[in-house]
Amino acid sequence: MQNYSTTNFTRGGTKTKTFEGLQCSPSLIGGLQSASVFFAAVNIFLAITTFLGNSLILVALHKESPLHPPSKLLYRCLATTDLLVGLVAQPLRVTYLMSAVHEHLSLCHYAEAASITGVALCGVSLLTMAVISVDRLLALLLGLRYKEIVTLKRIYIIIASFWVLCLVVSLCIIFDERITLLSILISIPLSLLISLASYTKIFRTLRHHQAQVQQQPSQPNALNMARYRKAVHSALWVQSVLVICYTPYLIAVFVITSSTTYSSNSVVAWEIANILVYFNSTLNPFLYCWKISEVKRAMKQTIRQALCCPWS
């Protein structure tokens, strides 16, 4: 196993005020060439699969499906941010990593650019997942009024506000990294808490509904509960994977925020945490195809058309 430097570096001084800035220190990254090549290779592979997978998902979601338009818009927003992770954030990360390998530290500012885009895109994804959980809860509680209250216009406004908020928070890295880190420490647990509360309420309501149906089998049901349960389980799978991928990143941000000295091991741990977050963008398309039958059918049709296959 490679031994990394344990020399400590602080936030002090005018040249290394941020953790990203410290990653450009020759003494800190000097012994990480092999690790940087490995991380760059992983990011390249994930970027390609993320771009291809989410491109197909966006095409599939563009086709006709029984998904309610606002719900479809939320999934399209999620797929778009995931696609941009593979198209923008990860290539910037690779540029930084390879600059460390070849000691072209003049390109090291791409580490900051990668962080800005990564925080913005992943922030939108995280908030969108929280809204998807609330959307599923409202579909259950509102019944027939759901389509009147949850409209495309309102979802567009919510998504636009997410993009503005996340861009502002991510750009704070340039001026004061602590603002961005503290925002991450607040937003990730808050988003996960909203999702947890929503799904807890959903499953309690479903259990209560099932008990009522057993007592009154002929009771009319305005909502197709079988389809609804399937949609909830699909969203819950996506949410569970997000929790697994984001938890190490949350821990890493907490450690960085509370620490004043860093070593090469800190850089390695930070890169691993970032890769796990990016990996979430790679996994989401597979989860859509696995758990959402409408998307799966549309994906198959899209691939067949792309390959000019005559069968349907």
Side-chain angles (χ1 to χ4, degrees):
M1 181 179 295
Q2 183 175 355
N3 293 321
Y4 300 115
S5 170
T6 57
T7 304
N8 291 332
F9 294 82
T10 69
R11 291 177 181 266
T14 59
K15 295 184 179 179
T16 57
K17 293 182 179 180
T18 68
F19 179 71
E20 298 294 348
L22 288 172
Q23 291 186 68
C24 296
S25 169
S27 300
L28 187 62
I29 64 175
L32 299 179
Q33 281 83 0
S34 298
S36 296
V37 170
F38 172 76
F39 291 140
V42 173
N43 273 288
I44 290 172
F45 173 76
L46 292 181
I48 294 172
T49 55
T50 297
F51 175 76
L52 293 176
N54 285 285
S55 296
L56 290 172
I57 287 295
L58 286 173
V59 173
L61 290 174
H62 183 69
K63 298 179 181 294
E64 291 294 329
S65 75
L67 288 173
H68 185 45
S71 299
K72 183 190 291 188
L73 177 60
L74 288 171
Y75 279 110
R76 289 173 68 178
C77 175
L78 195 60
T80 299
T81 56
D82 288 340
L83 183 145
L84 291 175
V85 166
L87 190 63
V88 180
Q90 287 184 285
L92 287 174
R93 202 78 201 170
V94 170
T95 302
Y96 156 70
L97 290 168
M98 295 311 296
S99 72
V101 171
H102 297 289
E103 298 183 355
H104 293 161
L105 298 183
S106 60
L107 299 177
C108 204
H109 61 276
Y110 281 104
E112 190 169 71
S115 292
I116 291 172
T117 55
V119 168
L121 294 173
C122 294
V124 174
S125 294
L126 193 67
L127 294 174
T128 302
M129 283 303 308
V131 173
I132 287 175
S133 68
V134 175
D135 173 69
R136 294 298 85 206
L137 177 61
L138 292 177
L140 178 63
L141 298 180
L142 297 178
L144 293 175
R145 295 176 56 227
Y146 167 72
K147 292 185 178 181
E148 299 177 4
I149 295 177
V150 182
T151 62
L152 271 176
K153 181 180 179 180
R154 289 173 177 170
I155 296 299
Y156 271 118
I157 292 173
I158 291 173
I159 290 175
S161 64
F162 285 169
W163 277 98
V164 172
L165 175 63
C166 291
L167 284 172
V168 170
V169 170
S170 64
L171 288 172
C172 286
I173 292 176
I174 300 173
F175 308 104
D176 191 342
E177 184 186 52
R178 292 171 297 179
I179 296 175
T180 302
L181 293 176
L182 288 174
S183 298
I184 292 172
L185 287 175
I186 294 172
S187 61
I188 293 180
L190 181 61
S191 298
L192 297 180
L193 183 62
I194 291 173
S195 298
L196 177 62
S198 298
Y199 286 119
T200 300
K201 177 65 175 177
I202 285 171
F203 285 111
R204 285 182 177 177
T205 305
L206 286 176
R207 185 181 301 174
H208 178 69
H209 173 81
Q210 186 174 3
Q212 286 184 329
V213 170
Q214 290 175 351
Q215 294 176 1
Q216 302 176 6
S218 60
Q219 182 182 12
N221 186 8
L223 186 65
N224 188 327
M225 297 305 295
R227 178 186 294 177
Y228 177 78
R229 285 193 184 93
K230 192 172 183 179
V232 169
H233 287 142
S234 301
L236 190 56
W237 267 99
V238 176
Q239 182 71 41
S240 300
V241 171
L242 183 142
V243 171
I244 294 172
C245 292
Y246 273 74
T247 298
Y249 181 78
L250 179 63
I251 295 172
V253 171
F254 176 77
V255 172
I256 290 172
T257 305
S258 58
S259 300
T260 56
T261 59
Y262 308 100
S263 68
S264 298
N265 292 321
S266 303
V267 177
V268 172
W270 180 245
E271 291 301 328
I272 293 174
N274 275 279
I275 284 176
L276 286 174
V277 170
Y278 294 151
F279 186 48
N280 178 252
S281 298
T282 303
L283 286 178
N284 280 340
F286 296 98
L287 291 173
Y288 298 152
C289 291
W290 178 34
K291 302 302 296 183
I292 306 177
S293 58
E294 296 85 2
V295 175
K296 184 177 182 179
R297 285 194 296 269
M299 278 277 285
K300 287 182 177 180
Q301 183 181 0
T302 301
I303 294 173
R304 288 167 181 168
Q305 290 175 349
L307 296 176
C308 299
C309 294
W311 63 84
S312 58

